[in-house]
Amino acid sequence: MRQRSPSGSTGTDWRIHYAIDLANLQCDFFLLTDVKGGETWRRFPVQKGDIMLGDRGYANPKGVAHVVEADGEVIVRLNRKSLPLFNKEGKRLNAVCLARRLRPNQNLEWGAWVHTDRGKKIKGRLIVVPRSKQATEHARKKLRQQASKKQKSVSAEALEAAQYFFLWTTLPQSWSRTKVLELYRSRWQIELTFKRMKSIMGLGHLPKKDPESCRAWLHGKLFTSLLVERMIGAAKNFSPWGYELVATEKQMA
């Protein structure tokens, strides 16, 4: 979240760590931190059987270990730098080299392990899908724009990697690649949630400067958002007649 200028800074000052339950599309957990509060699954409570979906910001060994140690499963978009992968023998995998084996309209997977700082090896699967020409160009354009802002150049490997979509998961083989990819697509619901909060509730910019006022303002907005979610959920089951209609209507004379 950003504070409005000129009363405050124009950079990111606050982060909302927010999770939704895909079963009902309602908030499952949220936490408000300052800008130093990085994205990690370690901030979220995990129960046995949970499947945690995350973008590249959550692709790191410590976050993965937090979920797995709580008997949860992970589906995360691969960040080749922050989530190094290894084969069964412990040799570092190069995801781009593996992706070169793909043919058009084909997806493949390889066994890939994550090594934690405590010496634990977490077994998973690297799933790779080739992108369309249009999606590849869009990804490359975004890479060049980000590099230009930092006055850097884009590496040849990064431009090649833009041709593919990389996903890593701990889900067992009983989950086919298609099912894993379809489930990950549901992650877009969190993006839609934030878009709604920003556009409808004005959550993108803070009209405050004092830290305590900012916290109070943000918590107020989040509280309102949660109330709206509950009202929408209740409306789905509400009958305007005050009772449920019978399945089969009686014939009228």
Side-chain angles (χ1 to χ4, degrees):
M1 301 297 107
R2 299 175 183 270
Q3 292 178 341
R4 291 189 186 276
S5 88
S7 61
S9 66
T10 56
T12 301
D13 294 285
W14 301 91
R15 295 186 189 275
I16 297 176
H17 309 272
Y18 197 93
I20 62 171
D21 185 344
L22 290 178
N24 54 27
L25 297 182
Q26 294 190 358
C27 179
D28 186 63
F29 174 85
F30 79 86
L31 177 67
L32 179 65
T33 68
D34 59 23
V35 68
K36 296 180 181 179
E39 293 179 309
T40 173
W41 275 319
R42 289 182 292 169
R43 299 186 181 279
F44 297 88
V46 181
Q47 297 182 0
K48 183 176 181 179
D50 283 350
I51 302 175
M52 305 294 286
L53 278 62
D55 203 354
R56 286 177 293 189
Y58 293 90
N60 59 79
K62 290 184 178 179
V64 168
H66 170 73
V67 177
V68 173
E69 289 171 0
D71 292 325
E73 304 287 355
V74 162
I75 304 178
V76 65
R77 187 174 172 187
L78 181 66
N79 185 320
R80 292 176 294 117
K81 292 183 178 180
S82 64
L83 189 68
L85 300 177
F86 302 83
N87 64 15
K88 191 175 182 179
E89 290 72 34
K91 183 179 179 181
R92 179 76 178 267
L93 291 176
N94 187 318
V96 178
C97 288
L98 293 174
R100 292 172 185 160
R101 305 179 188 180
L102 269 72
R103 297 191 300 270
N105 301 319
Q106 181 186 33
N107 61 72
L108 291 175
E109 68 174 68
W110 293 266
W113 281 255
V114 167
H115 293 183
T116 70
D117 55 0
R118 289 182 286 181
K120 184 177 180 180
K121 298 179 181 180
I122 301 174
K123 184 180 179 180
R125 301 150 60 194
L126 172 64
I127 300 174
V128 186
V129 181
R131 281 182 168 141
S132 66
K133 183 178 180 180
Q134 183 179 5
T136 298
E137 290 305 315
H138 177 76
R140 287 174 173 170
K141 181 180 179 181
K142 189 174 181 180
L143 285 172
R144 293 188 179 101
Q145 290 175 340
Q146 293 173 342
S148 177
K149 290 180 180 179
K150 299 178 181 179
Q151 297 183 340
K152 295 182 179 180
S153 58
V154 185
S155 68
E157 184 175 86
L159 291 174
E160 183 181 359
Q163 300 178 72
Y164 311 101
F165 180 81
F166 301 94
L167 202 66
W168 186 81
T169 181
T170 59
L171 285 170
Q173 293 291 338
S174 56
W175 284 75
S176 68
R177 292 195 295 274
T178 300
K179 286 184 178 180
V180 172
L181 290 165
E182 286 179 349
L183 182 56
Y184 183 78
R185 291 179 66 182
S186 303
R187 198 201 63 81
W188 184 247
Q189 293 297 329
I190 191 69
E191 304 294 343
L192 295 178
T193 298
F194 272 105
K195 285 180 181 293
R196 287 194 296 268
M197 288 195 291
K198 288 180 178 180
S199 61
I200 299 176
M201 299 185 180
L203 197 63
H205 293 271
L206 282 72
K208 304 290 184 180
K209 184 177 180 181
D210 176 72
E212 293 303 318
S213 296
C214 287
R215 284 185 178 276
W217 189 87
L218 284 168
H219 277 116
K221 289 285 186 176
L222 288 168
F223 179 68
T224 303
S225 177
L226 294 176
L227 284 177
V228 171
E229 283 186 357
R230 296 300 186 272
M231 292 173 66
I232 292 175
K236 292 179 180 178
N237 301 317
F238 175 74
S239 171
W241 289 274
Y243 56 88
E244 294 296 328
L245 296 176
V246 293
T248 306
E249 295 183 359
K250 293 181 179 180
Q251 292 185 350
M252 298 184 64

